[in-house]
Amino acid sequence: MGGKARVTVIGSYNVGLVVNAERLPAWGETLFGNGFSEGPGGKGSNQAVAASRLGGDVSFIGCVGTDRYGDDAISMLKNECIDLTYLKRTAASMTGVGFVFLNKLGDNCIIVDPGANLALMIEDIDRAAQAIEQSDVLLFQLECQLDTVRHGMQTAWKKGKVVILNPAPAQEQLDDLLRYATYVTPNESELKMMNGLPPEQEIGMEECVQLGRNIIAKGPEAVIVTMGERGALIILEDTSYTLPPIAVDAVDTTGAGDSFNAALAVSLAEGKSLADAAAYACAVGAYTVTGREVIPALPTREQMEVFLAAMKEKSDE
Ligand code: RIB
């Protein structure tokens, strides 16, 4: 490794349809929201854009529709200097959509209709073998067909690449994928769901570590749990440690997990240690929650330098 970080993201593009609401409606109820906005999203595309802005040489493998949303996706991703050689288009389904509901605290909940994302097939991964070969780190999420994700991870793993699996949205039966992951990056609710627990169940730090170890037993070297305003927890086979949070005023948490994963991928591809890469990723995640909407809130490398310098100055005071 060395030089410009080469990162390939295999995953989703979704248009984000965002609205603020006091609470979620009950079935049969109509509720007023406010502040509607529409913008690019999808975990894969968000991660690709974030990685590119942070200085990575990024290739995005995904699938969008032949509709207007697909056109928007392509011009946005091109504008972000992302290689789209292996981006597929399908007329068979609409570009994916994410309906994002935001509360006053900036917390989000999301319903995704994956649409065209589900048309990314194993053959499409095989066609992109060259991009995979040329990458240092590959990033995957779970908004595409699991078979396709598994095949991509297996291909990368066979080539000796660093494979990051961001297991979002969470699923339980992932053993087939976990064996090909170097690092797995769930948030707390995803960690619980991967272990068959309900996401609302309260768990302590020790239990969290144990749940991470259950995942490590299936193959990965480490599990990095993103914990929002509580920082991150790194779990290895024989040790674990927390990374402290960076205090910021959160206005919109959407995309923070994506920028965390992108920063982790770029830093690892640049040859940083897991601890340093995860610390940088925490800072990038913190920066992201200070801005509204996903793409406008993703920092560039230069913006992160300024942000980190300001944080250091504050802590030296
Ligand atoms: O991680 C945030 C993303 O998840 C949103 O952009 C939404 O589209 C969903 O895919």
Side-chain angles (χ1 to χ4, degrees), residues 21 48 88 225:
K88 179 178 174 179
V225 186

Side-chain angles (χ1 to χ4, degrees), residues 14 41-43 46 110 112 143 254-255 258:
N14 297 317
K43 296 181 195 303
N46 293 346
I110 304 173
V112 168
E143 288 182 330
T254 321
D258 297 329

Side-chain angles (χ1 to χ4, degrees), residues 12 31 44 66-67 91 135 142 163 170 193 211 219 243 257 290 297 303-304:
S12 58
L31 197 67
T66 48
D67 49 12
S135 306
L142 300 176
V163 177
M193 287 164 80
L211 297 184
L243 293 171
T290 63
Q303 283 170 323
M304 277 314 295

Side-chain angles (χ1 to χ4, degrees), residues 219-233:
E221 279 173 29
V223 171
I224 301 119
V225 186
T226 53
M227 301 191 301
E229 72 275 17
R230 288 183 297 124
L233 170 65

Side-chain angles (χ1 to χ4, degrees), residues 113-172:
D113 176 351
N117 293 303
L118 299 183
L120 186 72
M121 298 298 174
I122 285 175
E123 310 81 81
D124 303 315
I125 302 294
D126 288 340
R127 261 194 294 277
Q130 203 190 354
I132 297 174
E133 179 69 51
Q134 288 169 349
S135 306
D136 301 312
V137 176
L138 285 103
L139 250 177
F140 297 85
Q141 327 74 35
L142 300 176
E143 288 182 330
C144 297
Q145 305 261 16
L146 277 194
D147 273 0
T148 307
V149 177
R150 185 193 48 74
H151 186 70
M153 290 176 66
Q154 184 187 32
T155 306
W157 178 82
K158 277 191 182 157
K159 292 178 189 292
K161 307 295 177 183
V162 173
V163 177
I164 301 176
L165 174 63
N166 175 217
Q171 308 223 9
E172 243 187 79

Side-chain angles (χ1 to χ4, degrees), residues 66-246:
T66 48
D67 49 12
R68 171 174 67 84
Y69 284 149
D71 295 343
D72 293 348
I74 288 172
S75 57
M76 184 281 292
L77 290 162
K78 272 193 185 151
N79 212 23
E80 297 287 342
C81 306
I82 293 165
D83 176 25
L84 298 180
T85 308
Y86 302 106
L87 182 76
K88 179 178 174 179
R89 294 197 82 170
T90 178
S93 30
M94 299 279 291
T95 298
V97 181
F99 298 90
V100 182
F101 304 95
L102 280 182
N103 70 12
K104 266 196 197 136
L105 301 172
D107 297 321
N108 68 68
C109 62
I110 304 173
I111 298 179
V112 168
D113 176 351
N117 293 303
L118 299 183
L120 186 72
M121 298 298 174
I122 285 175
E123 310 81 81
D124 303 315
I125 302 294
D126 288 340
R127 261 194 294 277
Q130 203 190 354
I132 297 174
E133 179 69 51
Q134 288 169 349
S135 306
D136 301 312
V137 176
L138 285 103
L139 250 177
F140 297 85
Q141 327 74 35
L142 300 176
E143 288 182 330
C144 297
Q145 305 261 16
L146 277 194
D147 273 0
T148 307
V149 177
R150 185 193 48 74
H151 186 70
M153 290 176 66
Q154 184 187 32
T155 306
W157 178 82
K158 277 191 182 157
K159 292 178 189 292
K161 307 295 177 183
V162 173
V163 177
I164 301 176
L165 174 63
N166 175 217
Q171 308 223 9
E172 243 187 79
Q173 295 302 330
L174 291 178
D175 293 14
D176 261 15
L177 278 71
L178 292 174
R179 53 202 288 230
Y180 302 121
T182 319
Y183 302 115
V184 183
T185 57
N187 63 21
E188 283 172 286
S189 62
E190 287 152 3
L191 177 70
K192 287 182 250 183
M193 287 164 80
M194 287 173 79
N195 279 275
L197 300 178
E200 62 282 0
Q201 183 167 322
E202 294 286 333
I203 57 167
M205 211 46 117
E206 261 180 44
E207 209 177 338
C208 223
V209 171
Q210 188 46 55
L211 297 184
R213 295 254 160 82
N214 295 345
I215 294 173
I216 290 175
K218 294 172 181 162
E221 279 173 29
V223 171
I224 301 119
V225 186
T226 53
M227 301 191 301
E229 72 275 17
R230 288 183 297 124
L233 170 65
I234 316 287
I235 307 164
L236 297 141
E237 200 173 357
D238 49 3
T239 183
S240 67
Y241 53 93
T242 49
L243 293 171
I246 295 179

Side-chain angles (χ1 to χ4, degrees), residues 285-296:
Y287 184 105
T288 306
V289 304
T290 63
R292 267 189 203 289
E293 299 181 37
V294 182
I295 300 295

